Amino acid sequence: MQKELRPSTEPFIVDLDRDLLRGNLGAEVFWWNVSRDIRSLHLRKHRHYPNPKRLPYDPDVIAGCKAARAEGREVVLADAGMPELAGPVASHLKAFDRTQTGHAPASDVPRERATMLLREVLRQMRMHQWVKNILVFLPLMAAHAFAPDTLLSALLAFLAFGFVASAVYVLNDLADLEADRKHRTKCNRPFASGRLPVRFGAPMLIALLVTGFGIAVLVTPALTIVLAGYFVLTTAYSMKLKGMLALDIVVLAMLYTVRIVAGAAATDINPSVWLLSFSIFLFLSLAAVKRLAELVELDARGAAKAAAGRAYTVEDRPIIAMIATASGFIAVLVLALYLDTAEVRAQYAEPMALWGVGLVLLFWISRIVLLAHRGLVNEDPVVFALTDRASRYLVAICAVLFAVGVLA
């Protein structure tokens, strides 16, 4: 820690909130209670405190404590008004000689730099996940409605969904701090790691929601209603439904399909039943692939037989793989039935070219299920497709087939 030590006769006092936790203590306690029982927030005697082993301590402050001890100074932890937590923290870190009540005097502990915080804010927003919002363009593509005002409305819907989805990621990560800090990879997320102070969580959540809904209001009231439904459903999924057997993957499929409904609402295009049916089955397949990948990874680590907060065990892998495969193939069947309708023959110059899209999908679904079963899909399947070279080639082939079907 970059600071000049005072004479060795003076104690080295560290404030639990301001110094050791960089101003995050109140936020840590708040979100710890929200994740367990929101009713405990207004009942002091029932309030719970975070596990001291999982809190994001400032390593520079801990190093300063050790340096002060090496110089023979008494190291004191000021409890910042929460003596119930200060004692366990001191016992866990073993860097303090005693605790005392009250805030410590102002210190020279370095604060976060604005550029570093901005980088972590952008990382927390997970803007790479916004690619899922491309689904809002499907209704206008299916209807061949490429007028400038229609494209602008769809683009605004894309942005609105992006900001609201980022808000949900913030809420989810704040509610799952303890579980994420135990996880092998999720412990590196901005809030869980402490790189992004937890106290920024609530303001960030509000700002993202206001931005997302503000954009939706500019488009159509219908888009605002759909976006509100999406927020309620995805929040329910994050807080409760993701731990419910089978229902979780159905809800995930619905959340993808809601994006298509939003694109239709933004552009005033009636969504086709064929398109919605195709979407439900395809994304049910991908949701099952996601669960399959999680279970394969869990089994490979040889740890617990069930993932924390999930309703599945490693023994469920064959059933999950079957759901993923069957749902994906049904999606292709829906597409095939749609391609044989009079509507398609009237809209496309060369409908036969679109049958190639079905063949590509059959191959891609079979391949991603097999890769997940082998433990080679280590992230969200949609994100995996963006980084997988073969998947990118297949998307390009589908785009060419679509263009041929429209223009030939």
Side-chain angles (χ1 to χ4, degrees):
M1 184 172 63
Q2 303 298 321
K3 65 179 292 183
E4 183 180 350
L5 295 178
R6 292 170 289 182
S8 60
T9 55
E10 295 186 25
F12 186 82
I13 304 176
V14 172
D15 189 276
L16 173 60
D17 180 27
R18 185 193 63 222
D19 300 330
L20 196 57
L21 293 174
R22 291 178 286 187
N24 290 318
L25 181 57
E28 289 278 352
V29 172
F30 175 84
W31 290 108
W32 176 275
N33 282 272
V34 165
S35 65
R36 281 154 180 78
D37 186 356
I38 197 168
R39 294 171 300 177
S40 67
L41 292 176
H42 66 281
L43 298 174
R44 173 70 179 179
K45 63 181 179 179
H46 295 302
R47 185 169 296 175
H48 305 287
Y49 293 93
N51 184 342
K53 296 180 180 180
R54 302 293 177 187
L55 289 172
Y57 304 110
D58 189 328
D60 289 337
V61 174
I62 295 175
C65 292
K66 293 179 179 178
R69 261 191 169 180
E71 297 215 357
R73 297 174 63 181
E74 181 184 34
V75 181
V76 180
L77 178 63
D79 64 43
M82 293 190 183
E84 303 92 336
L85 185 60
V89 167
S91 298
H92 166 63
L93 294 178
K94 297 180 173 58
F96 302 95
D97 298 304
R98 63 181 176 88
T99 62
Q100 73 175 32
T101 301
H103 290 277
S107 67
D108 296 325
V109 174
R111 300 301 169 192
E112 305 91 351
R113 289 188 299 180
T115 53
M116 295 175 61
L117 289 177
L118 178 59
R119 183 175 65 245
E120 295 303 328
V121 165
L122 294 175
R123 184 173 297 165
Q124 176 58 43
M125 289 176 65
R126 299 184 204 171
M127 297 182 72
H128 62 281
Q129 297 281 3
W130 287 25
V131 69
K132 300 173 183 178
N133 301 331
I134 290 176
L135 293 172
V136 303
F137 293 97
L138 283 184
L140 66 86
M141 291 178 63
H144 301 175
F146 299 113
D149 57 336
T150 304
L151 287 170
L152 177 60
S153 295
L155 178 60
L156 291 175
F158 174 90
L159 294 174
F161 257 84
F163 284 111
V164 172
S166 291
V168 174
Y169 289 134
V170 170
L171 180 60
N172 186 50
D173 286 2
L174 290 171
D176 285 349
L177 281 173
E178 175 71 7
D180 286 352
R181 286 168 179 165
K182 294 178 182 177
H183 195 271
R184 181 174 60 88
T185 57
K186 293 180 181 179
C187 63
N188 293 317
R189 289 177 173 175
F191 286 128
S193 65
R195 295 192 308 271
L196 182 60
V198 179
R199 68 180 185 273
F200 290 172
M204 187 176 173
L205 172 63
I206 294 170
L208 289 170
L209 286 176
V210 169
T211 303
F213 279 100
I215 294 173
V217 169
L218 294 175
V219 184
T220 62
L223 175 61
T224 307
I225 293 172
V226 173
L227 190 60
Y230 168 81
F231 177 70
V232 171
L233 184 59
T234 193
T235 301
Y237 170 80
S238 297
M239 295 300 179
K240 183 68 177 179
L241 300 182
K242 68 180 179 182
M244 301 183 71
L245 186 68
L247 182 60
D248 62 331
I249 57 175
V250 173
V251 171
L252 275 178
M254 290 172 60
L255 289 173
Y256 280 105
T257 305
V258 165
R259 289 173 165 89
I260 297 176
V261 175
T267 55
D268 198 24
I269 297 173
N270 290 327
S272 165
V273 173
W274 291 106
L275 178 59
L276 296 180
S277 301
F278 171 78
S279 172
I280 281 288
F281 283 112
L282 178 62
F283 291 112
L284 180 63
S285 174
L286 295 185
V289 166
K290 183 175 182 178
R291 291 292 175 264
L292 176 62
E294 292 171 352
L295 293 175
V296 170
E297 181 187 8
L298 192 68
D299 188 45
R301 296 206 311 265
K305 294 300 181 182
R310 297 285 189 260
Y312 305 94
T313 65
V314 293
E315 287 79 11
D316 295 325
R317 285 179 301 168
I319 303 299
I320 299 297
M322 181 187 69
I323 293 173
T325 307
S327 299
F329 288 175
I330 291 174
V332 176
L333 176 60
V334 171
L335 176 62
L337 293 173
Y338 169 65
L339 294 179
D340 195 40
T341 63
E343 177 184 351
V344 171
R345 288 193 292 272
Q347 275 192 314
Y348 292 88
E350 187 56 63
M352 290 301 296
L354 301 181
W355 285 91
V357 176
L359 294 175
V360 170
L361 279 175
L362 279 176
F363 168 71
W364 185 76
I365 291 166
S366 302
R367 179 174 179 271
I368 197 170
V369 172
L370 286 169
L371 290 177
H373 195 271
R374 296 178 180 181
L376 300 177
V377 179
N378 299 318
E379 52 195 332
D380 186 292
V382 176
V383 178
F384 170 80
L386 294 176
T387 59
D388 176 53
R389 179 180 298 178
S391 296
R392 293 200 297 267
Y393 288 153
L394 294 175
V395 170
I397 292 172
C398 288
V400 171
L401 290 171
F402 179 79
V404 171
V406 173
L407 302 175

